Amino acid sequence: MPATLSLVIDCAEPAKLAEFWAPALGYQNLGAFGSYVALAAEGAPLLLLQRVSEPKHGKNRMHLDIKVPDGEPEVDRLVALGAKRVSDAPVEEHGAQWVVMTDPEGNEFCVCRD
């Protein structure tokens, strides 16, 4: 039987960060469970937002890529939800194109042209 995948993002305020990530990904907020807030969508990995006491230091060792057909409208939508654009222009490499962004707590993610 294959393994299933859940993703965990460390954060200071899981409930507040869920207000960004749930609409950003089209996930449903399942609510708080101890130090976690769970977000889910049919057929997609579970996303857990985990409260941690230590602040974020440096670049994430892993990040999420949000793949969409047209990047700029998605970047604008995510900025309206509270994300920040890190790269002014899209990055292009090996035929791929993406924009580096951060969520409201500074966790990096990319919006990639699908």
Side-chain angles (χ1 to χ4, degrees), residues 56-104:
K56 181 182 177 304
H57 293 288
K59 187 176 182 322
N60 294 8
R61 296 290 295 203
M62 186 183 88
H63 66 268
L64 303 180
D65 282 349
I66 299 173
K67 295 178 125 186
V68 293
D70 190 1
E72 287 305 318
E74 183 67 2
V75 166
D76 293 342
R77 184 182 79 84
L78 295 170
V79 167
L81 289 172
K84 292 186 178 147
R85 188 177 180 135
V86 174
S87 57
D88 291 330
V91 178
E92 294 195 40
E93 187 174 294
H94 306 291
Q97 184 182 71
W98 64 91
V99 174
V100 180
M101 302 187 74
T102 60
D103 72 13

